[in-house]
Coordinates of all heavy atoms in Angstrom, one line a residue:
F477 N -11.2 -3.0 16.5 CA -12.2 -3.5 15.6 C -11.6 -3.7 14.1 O -11.7 -4.7 13.6 CB -13.5 -2.7 15.6 CG -14.5 -3.3 14.7 CD1 -15.1 -4.4 14.9 CD2 -14.7 -2.6 13.4 CE1 -16.1 -4.9 14.0 CE2 -15.6 -3.2 12.5 CZ -16.3 -4.3 12.8
N478 N -11.0 -2.7 13.7 CA -10.4 -2.6 12.4 C -9.4 -3.8 12.2 O -9.3 -4.5 11.1 CB -9.9 -1.4 11.9 CG -11.1 -0.4 11.6 OD1 -12.2 -0.6 11.9 ND2 -10.7 0.8 11.1
A479 N -8.5 -3.8 13.4 CA -7.5 -4.8 13.4 C -8.0 -6.2 13.3 O -7.5 -7.1 12.6 CB -6.6 -4.7 14.5
W480 N -9.1 -6.4 13.9 CA -9.8 -7.7 14.0 C -10.2 -8.1 12.6 O -10.1 -9.2 12.0 CB -10.9 -7.7 15.0 CG -11.7 -9.0 15.2 CD1 -11.3 -10.1 16.0 CD2 -12.9 -9.3 14.6 NE1 -12.4 -11.0 15.7 CE2 -13.4 -10.6 15.0 CE3 -13.8 -8.5 13.8 CZ2 -14.6 -11.2 14.7 CZ3 -14.9 -9.1 13.4 CH2 -15.3 -10.4 13.9
V481 N -10.9 -7.1 11.9 CA -11.5 -7.4 10.6 C -10.3 -7.6 9.6 O -10.4 -8.6 8.8 CB -12.3 -6.1 10.2 CG1 -12.5 -6.3 8.5 CG2 -13.5 -5.9 10.9
L482 N -9.2 -6.9 9.7 CA -8.1 -7.0 8.8 C -7.4 -8.2 8.9 O -6.9 -8.8 8.0 CB -7.2 -5.8 8.9 CG -7.7 -4.4 8.4 CD1 -6.9 -3.3 8.9 CD2 -7.8 -4.4 7.0
S483 N -7.2 -8.7 10.3 CA -6.4 -9.9 10.5 C -7.3 -11.1 9.9 O -6.6 -12.1 9.3 CB -6.2 -10.1 11.9 OG -5.4 -11.3 12.2
K484 N -8.5 -11.0 10.1 CA -9.4 -12.2 9.4 C -9.2 -12.0 7.9 O -9.1 -13.2 7.3 CB -10.9 -11.9 9.7 CG -11.3 -11.9 11.2 CD -11.4 -13.4 11.8 CE -11.6 -13.2 13.2 NZ -11.0 -14.3 14.0
S485 N -9.1 -10.9 7.3 CA -9.0 -10.8 5.9 C -7.7 -11.4 5.4 O -7.6 -11.9 4.3 CB -9.1 -9.3 5.4 OG -10.5 -8.9 5.3
L486 N -6.6 -11.2 6.2 CA -5.3 -11.7 5.8 C -5.4 -13.2 5.6 O -4.6 -13.8 5.0 CB -4.3 -11.2 6.7 CG -4.0 -9.7 6.8 CD1 -2.8 -9.4 7.8 CD2 -3.5 -9.2 5.5
E487 N -6.2 -13.9 6.4 CA -6.3 -15.3 6.3 C -6.5 -15.7 4.8 O -6.2 -16.8 4.3 CB -7.4 -16.0 7.1 CG -7.1 -15.7 8.7 CD -8.0 -16.4 9.6 OE1 -8.8 -17.2 9.1 OE2 -8.1 -16.0 10.7
T488 N -7.3 -14.9 4.0 CA -7.7 -15.3 2.6 C -6.9 -14.3 1.6 O -7.3 -14.3 0.4 CB -9.2 -15.0 2.5 OG1 -9.5 -13.6 2.8 CG2 -10.0 -16.0 3.4
L489 N -5.9 -13.6 2.2 CA -5.2 -12.7 1.2 C -4.7 -13.5 -0.1 O -4.9 -13.0 -1.2 CB -4.1 -12.0 1.9 CG -3.3 -11.0 1.1 CD1 -4.2 -9.7 0.7 CD2 -2.0 -10.5 1.7
A490 N -4.0 -14.6 0.2 CA -3.4 -15.3 -0.9 C -4.4 -15.7 -2.0 O -4.2 -15.5 -3.2 CB -2.6 -16.5 -0.5
V491 N -5.5 -16.4 -1.5 CA -6.6 -16.9 -2.6 C -7.2 -15.7 -3.2 O -7.4 -15.8 -4.5 CB -7.7 -17.7 -1.9 CG1 -7.4 -19.2 -2.1 CG2 -8.1 -17.3 -0.6
R492 N -7.4 -14.6 -2.4 CA -8.1 -13.4 -3.1 C -7.1 -12.9 -4.1 O -7.6 -12.6 -5.3 CB -8.5 -12.4 -2.1 CG -9.7 -12.8 -1.2 CD -10.3 -11.8 -0.4 NE -9.4 -11.5 0.8 CZ -8.5 -10.4 0.9 NH1 -8.5 -9.4 -0.1 NH2 -7.8 -10.2 2.0
V493 N -5.9 -12.6 -3.7 CA -5.0 -11.9 -4.6 C -4.8 -12.7 -5.8 O -4.7 -12.2 -7.1 CB -3.7 -11.5 -3.9 CG1 -2.6 -10.9 -4.9 CG2 -4.0 -10.4 -2.9
N494 N -4.7 -14.1 -5.7 CA -4.5 -15.0 -6.9 C -5.5 -14.7 -7.9 O -5.4 -14.6 -9.0 CB -4.5 -16.5 -6.4 CG -3.1 -16.9 -6.3 OD1 -2.2 -16.7 -7.3 ND2 -2.8 -17.7 -5.2
K495 N -6.8 -14.7 -7.5 CA -7.9 -14.6 -8.2 C -8.1 -13.2 -8.8 O -8.3 -13.1 -10.1 CB -9.3 -15.0 -7.5 CG -10.5 -15.1 -8.3 CD -10.5 -16.1 -9.3 CE -11.9 -16.2 -10.0 NZ -11.9 -17.2 -11.1
H496 N -7.8 -12.3 -8.1 CA -7.8 -10.8 -8.6 C -6.8 -10.7 -9.7 O -7.2 -10.1 -10.8 CB -7.2 -9.9 -7.6 CG -8.2 -9.3 -6.6 ND1 -9.2 -8.4 -6.9 CD2 -8.5 -9.5 -5.2 CE1 -10.0 -8.0 -5.9 NE2 -9.6 -8.7 -4.9
C497 N -5.7 -11.3 -9.7 CA -4.6 -11.1 -10.7 C -5.0 -11.9 -11.9 O -4.8 -11.5 -13.0 CB -3.3 -11.7 -10.1 SG -2.7 -10.6 -8.8
K498 N -5.7 -13.2 -11.8 CA -6.1 -13.9 -12.8 C -7.1 -13.1 -13.7 O -7.2 -13.0 -14.9 CB -6.7 -15.2 -12.3 CG -6.0 -16.5 -12.7 CD -6.7 -17.7 -12.3 CE -5.7 -18.8 -12.1 NZ -6.2 -19.9 -11.2
N499 N -8.1 -12.5 -13.0 CA -9.2 -11.8 -13.6 C -8.5 -10.5 -14.3 O -8.9 -10.2 -15.4 CB -10.2 -11.3 -12.7 CG -11.2 -12.4 -12.2 OD1 -11.1 -13.4 -12.7 ND2 -12.0 -12.1 -11.3
A500 N -7.6 -9.8 -13.6 CA -6.9 -8.6 -14.2 C -6.2 -9.0 -15.5 O -6.3 -8.2 -16.4 CB -6.1 -8.0 -13.2
K501 N -5.5 -10.0 -15.5 CA -4.8 -10.5 -16.7 C -5.8 -10.6 -17.9 O -5.5 -10.2 -19.0 CB -3.9 -11.6 -16.5 CG -2.9 -11.7 -17.5 CD -1.7 -12.6 -17.1 CE -0.7 -12.5 -18.2 NZ 0.4 -13.7 -18.0
K502 N -6.9 -11.3 -17.6 CA -7.9 -11.6 -18.7 C -8.5 -10.2 -19.1 O -8.6 -9.9 -20.4 CB -9.0 -12.5 -18.2 CG -8.5 -13.8 -18.0 CD -9.6 -14.8 -17.7 CE -9.1 -16.3 -17.4 NZ -9.9 -17.1 -16.6
V503 N -8.7 -9.3 -18.2 CA -9.3 -7.9 -18.6 C -8.2 -7.1 -19.5 O -8.5 -6.6 -20.4 CB -9.7 -7.1 -17.4 CG1 -9.8 -5.7 -17.7 CG2 -10.9 -7.8 -16.7
A504 N -7.0 -7.3 -19.0 CA -5.9 -6.5 -19.8 C -5.7 -7.2 -21.2 O -5.6 -6.4 -22.2 CB -4.6 -6.7 -19.1
R505 N -5.8 -8.5 -21.3 CA -5.8 -9.1 -22.7 C -6.9 -8.8 -23.5 O -6.9 -8.4 -24.7 CB -5.8 -10.6 -22.4 CG -4.5 -11.2 -21.9 CD -4.0 -12.4 -22.6 NE -2.7 -12.8 -22.3 CZ -2.4 -13.8 -21.4 NH1 -3.4 -14.5 -20.9 NH2 -1.2 -14.1 -21.0
F506 N -8.1 -8.6 -22.9 CA -9.4 -8.2 -23.7 C -9.2 -6.7 -24.2 O -9.4 -6.5 -25.3 CB -10.6 -8.2 -22.8 CG -11.8 -7.4 -23.3 CD1 -12.5 -7.8 -24.4 CD2 -11.9 -6.2 -22.7 CE1 -13.5 -7.0 -24.9 CE2 -13.0 -5.4 -23.3 CZ -13.7 -5.8 -24.3
L507 N -8.6 -5.9 -23.3 CA -8.5 -4.5 -23.7 C -7.5 -4.4 -24.8 O -7.6 -3.6 -25.7 CB -8.1 -3.7 -22.5 CG -9.2 -3.4 -21.5 CD1 -8.6 -2.9 -20.1 CD2 -10.2 -2.4 -22.0
E508 N -6.4 -5.2 -24.7 CA -5.3 -5.1 -25.7 C -5.9 -5.4 -27.2 O -5.3 -4.7 -28.1 CB -4.3 -6.1 -25.4 CG -2.9 -5.7 -25.3 CD -1.9 -6.7 -25.0 OE1 -2.1 -7.9 -24.9 OE2 -0.7 -6.3 -24.9
K509 N -6.9 -6.1 -27.3 CA -7.5 -6.4 -28.6 C -8.6 -5.4 -29.0 O -9.1 -5.5 -30.2 CB -8.0 -7.8 -28.6 CG -6.9 -8.8 -28.6 CD -7.5 -10.2 -28.7 CE -6.8 -11.3 -27.8 NZ -7.8 -12.0 -26.8
N510 N -9.1 -4.5 -28.1 CA -10.2 -3.6 -28.4 C -9.7 -2.5 -29.3 O -8.8 -1.8 -28.9 CB -10.9 -3.2 -27.1 CG -12.1 -2.5 -27.4 OD1 -12.3 -1.5 -27.9 ND2 -13.3 -3.3 -27.1
E511 N -10.4 -2.2 -30.3 CA -9.9 -1.0 -31.1 C -10.3 0.3 -30.5 O -9.7 1.4 -31.1 CB -10.5 -1.1 -32.5 CG -11.9 -1.7 -32.7 CD -12.3 -1.9 -34.2 OE1 -11.5 -2.7 -34.9 OE2 -13.2 -1.2 -34.6
Q512 N -11.1 0.6 -29.6 CA -11.2 1.8 -28.9 C -10.2 2.2 -27.9 O -10.1 3.2 -27.4 CB -12.6 1.8 -28.0 CG -13.9 1.7 -28.8 CD -14.0 2.6 -29.9 OE1 -13.9 2.4 -31.2 NE2 -14.0 3.9 -29.6
V513 N -9.3 1.1 -27.7 CA -8.2 1.4 -26.7 C -6.8 1.5 -27.4 O -6.4 0.7 -28.3 CB -8.2 0.0 -25.8 CG1 -7.1 0.0 -24.8 CG2 -9.4 0.0 -25.1
K514 N -6.2 2.6 -27.0 CA -4.9 2.9 -27.6 C -3.7 2.1 -26.8 O -2.9 1.4 -27.6 CB -4.6 4.4 -27.3 CG -4.2 5.1 -28.6 CD -3.9 6.6 -28.7 CE -4.1 7.5 -27.5 NZ -4.1 8.9 -27.9
I515 N -3.6 2.2 -25.5 CA -2.6 1.5 -24.8 C -3.2 0.9 -23.6 O -4.1 1.4 -23.0 CB -1.5 2.5 -24.4 CG1 -0.9 3.3 -25.5 CG2 -0.3 1.9 -23.6 CD1 -0.3 4.6 -25.0
V516 N -2.7 -0.4 -23.3 CA -3.0 -1.0 -22.0 C -1.8 -1.2 -21.2 O -0.7 -1.6 -21.7 CB -3.7 -2.4 -22.3 CG1 -4.1 -3.1 -21.1 CG2 -4.7 -2.3 -23.3
K517 N -2.0 -0.9 -20.0 CA -0.7 -1.1 -19.0 C -1.1 -2.0 -18.0 O -2.0 -1.8 -17.1 CB -0.2 0.2 -18.4 CG 1.0 0.7 -19.3 CD 1.3 2.1 -19.0 CE 2.3 2.3 -18.0 NZ 2.4 3.7 -17.7
Y518 N -0.4 -3.1 -18.0 CA -0.5 -4.2 -17.0 C 0.9 -4.8 -16.8 O 1.5 -5.2 -17.8 CB -1.6 -5.2 -17.3 CG -1.8 -6.3 -16.2 CD1 -2.5 -5.9 -15.1 CD2 -1.4 -7.6 -16.4 CE1 -2.6 -6.7 -14.1 CE2 -1.6 -8.5 -15.4 CZ -2.2 -8.2 -14.2 OH -2.3 -9.0 -13.1
P519 N 1.4 -4.9 -15.6 CA 2.8 -5.3 -15.4 C 3.2 -6.6 -16.0 O 4.3 -6.8 -16.5 CB 2.9 -5.4 -13.9 CG 1.9 -4.4 -13.4 CD 0.8 -4.4 -14.3
F520 N 2.3 -7.5 -16.1 CA 2.5 -8.9 -16.7 C 2.2 -9.1 -18.2 O 2.0 -10.2 -18.7 CB 2.0 -10.0 -15.8 CG 3.0 -10.4 -14.7 CD1 3.9 -9.6 -14.1 CD2 3.0 -11.7 -14.2 CE1 4.8 -9.9 -13.1 CE2 3.9 -12.1 -13.1 CZ 4.7 -11.2 -12.6
L521 N 1.8 -7.9 -18.9 CA 1.7 -8.0 -20.3 C 3.1 -7.7 -20.9 O 3.8 -6.8 -20.5 CB 0.7 -6.9 -20.9 CG -0.8 -7.2 -20.6 CD1 -1.5 -6.1 -21.4 CD2 -1.2 -8.6 -21.1
K522 N 3.5 -8.4 -21.9 CA 4.8 -8.1 -22.6 C 5.1 -6.7 -23.1 O 6.1 -6.3 -23.1 CB 5.1 -9.2 -23.7 CG 5.4 -10.6 -23.1 CD 6.3 -11.3 -24.1 CE 6.8 -12.7 -23.5 NZ 5.7 -13.8 -23.8
S523 N 3.9 -6.2 -23.3 CA 4.0 -4.8 -23.9 C 4.3 -3.7 -22.7 O 4.5 -2.5 -23.0 CB 2.6 -4.4 -24.5 OG 1.6 -4.7 -23.6
H524 N 4.2 -4.1 -21.6 CA 4.4 -3.1 -20.4 C 5.9 -2.6 -20.6 O 6.8 -3.5 -20.6 CB 4.2 -3.7 -19.1 CG 4.2 -2.7 -18.0 ND1 5.3 -2.2 -17.5 CD2 3.2 -2.2 -17.2 CE1 5.1 -1.3 -16.5 NE2 3.8 -1.3 -16.3
P525 N 6.2 -1.4 -20.5 CA 7.5 -0.9 -20.6 C 8.6 -1.4 -19.6 O 9.7 -1.5 -19.9 CB 7.4 0.6 -20.5 CG 6.1 1.0 -20.1 CD 5.2 -0.3 -20.4
Q526 N 8.0 -1.9 -18.5 CA 9.0 -2.3 -17.4 C 8.6 -3.8 -17.1 O 8.8 -4.3 -16.0 CB 9.0 -1.5 -16.2 CG 9.5 -0.1 -16.3 CD 8.3 0.9 -16.3 OE1 7.2 0.6 -15.9 NE2 8.5 2.0 -17.0
Y527 N 8.1 -4.5 -18.2 CA 7.8 -5.9 -18.0 C 8.9 -6.8 -17.4 O 8.6 -7.6 -16.4 CB 7.5 -6.5 -19.4 CG 7.3 -8.0 -19.4 CD1 6.1 -8.6 -18.9 CD2 8.1 -8.9 -20.0 CE1 5.7 -9.9 -19.0 CE2 7.9 -10.2 -20.0 CZ 6.7 -10.7 -19.6 OH 6.5 -12.1 -19.6
K528 N 10.2 -6.6 -17.8 CA 11.2 -7.4 -17.3 C 11.5 -7.3 -15.8 O 11.7 -8.2 -15.0 CB 12.5 -7.1 -18.0 CG 12.7 -7.8 -19.4 CD 14.1 -8.1 -19.8 CE 14.2 -8.8 -21.0 NZ 14.8 -8.1 -22.1
I529 N 11.4 -5.9 -15.3 CA 11.6 -5.5 -14.0 C 10.4 -6.2 -13.1 O 10.6 -6.9 -12.1 CB 11.6 -4.1 -13.7 CG1 12.8 -3.5 -14.6 CG2 11.9 -3.7 -12.3 CD1 12.8 -2.0 -14.7
A530 N 9.1 -6.1 -13.7 CA 8.0 -6.7 -13.0 C 8.2 -8.1 -12.8 O 8.0 -8.7 -11.7 CB 6.8 -6.3 -13.9
K531 N 8.6 -8.8 -13.8 CA 8.9 -10.3 -13.7 C 10.0 -10.6 -12.7 O 9.9 -11.7 -12.0 CB 9.2 -10.9 -15.1 CG 8.1 -11.1 -16.0 CD 7.3 -12.3 -15.5 CE 6.3 -12.7 -16.5 NZ 5.6 -13.9 -16.1
K532 N 11.0 -9.8 -12.6 CA 12.0 -10.0 -11.6 C 11.6 -9.9 -10.2 O 11.9 -10.7 -9.3 CB 13.2 -9.0 -11.9 CG 14.3 -9.2 -10.9 CD 15.5 -8.2 -11.1 CE 15.2 -6.8 -10.8 NZ 16.4 -5.9 -10.8
Q533 N 10.7 -8.8 -9.9 CA 10.4 -8.6 -8.5 C 8.9 -9.0 -8.1 O 8.7 -8.9 -6.9 CB 10.8 -7.1 -8.2 CG 9.9 -6.1 -8.9 CD 10.5 -4.7 -8.8 OE1 11.8 -4.5 -8.8 NE2 9.6 -3.7 -8.9
M534 N 8.1 -9.3 -8.9 CA 6.7 -9.6 -8.6 C 6.3 -11.1 -9.0 O 6.7 -11.5 -10.0 CB 5.8 -8.6 -9.4 CG 5.9 -7.2 -9.0 SD 5.1 -6.1 -10.2 CE 3.4 -6.3 -9.6
K535 N 5.5 -11.6 -8.1 CA 5.1 -13.0 -8.3 C 3.9 -13.0 -9.3 O 3.7 -14.0 -10.0 CB 4.8 -13.5 -7.0 CG 4.2 -14.9 -6.9 CD 4.2 -15.2 -5.5 CE 3.3 -16.5 -5.2 NZ 3.3 -17.0 -3.8
L536 N 3.1 -12.0 -9.2 CA 1.9 -11.8 -10.2 C 1.8 -10.4 -10.5 O 2.5 -9.6 -10.0 CB 0.6 -12.4 -9.5 CG 0.5 -13.8 -9.0 CD1 -0.6 -13.9 -8.0 CD2 0.3 -14.6 -10.2
G537 N 0.9 -10.1 -11.5 CA 0.8 -8.7 -12.0 C 0.0 -7.7 -11.3 O -0.1 -6.7 -11.7
G538 N -0.8 -8.2 -10.3 CA -1.5 -7.3 -9.6 C -3.0 -7.1 -10.1 O -3.2 -7.8 -11.0
N539 N -3.8 -6.4 -9.5 CA -5.2 -6.4 -9.8 C -5.5 -5.0 -10.5 O -6.7 -4.8 -10.8 CB -6.1 -6.5 -8.7 CG -6.4 -5.3 -7.9 OD1 -5.5 -4.6 -7.5 ND2 -7.7 -5.0 -7.5
I540 N -4.5 -4.1 -10.8 CA -4.9 -2.9 -11.4 C -4.4 -2.9 -12.9 O -3.3 -3.1 -13.2 CB -4.1 -1.7 -10.7 CG1 -4.4 -1.8 -9.2 CG2 -4.6 -0.3 -11.2 CD1 -5.8 -1.5 -8.7

Side-chain angles (χ1 to χ4, degrees):
F477 177 76
N478 287 9
W480 180 81
V481 170
L482 289 166
S483 184
K484 301 279 177 215
S485 274
L486 290 179
E487 296 186 17
T488 57
L489 185 70
V491 265
R492 286 187 290 105
V493 169
N494 260 313
K495 184 69 178 176
H496 271 292
C497 295
K498 249 188 209 159
N499 283 357
K501 198 162 185 193
K502 284 185 186 156
V503 168
R505 288 223 173 101
F506 159 78
L507 287 167
E508 237 180 0
K509 286 187 223 118
N510 191 288
E511 38 184 60
Q512 295 307 115
V513 174
K514 233 183 347 196
I515 304 162
V516 183
K517 260 165 95 192
Y518 183 69
F520 271 29
L521 284 184
K522 284 211 174 82
S523 57
H524 190 287
Q526 297 101 23
Y527 172 73
K528 280 209 176 115
I529 304 170
K531 278 285 187 179
K532 177 177 75 168
Q533 64 196 32
M534 297 169 78
K535 181 169 160 173
L536 293 163
N539 83 312
I540 310 291

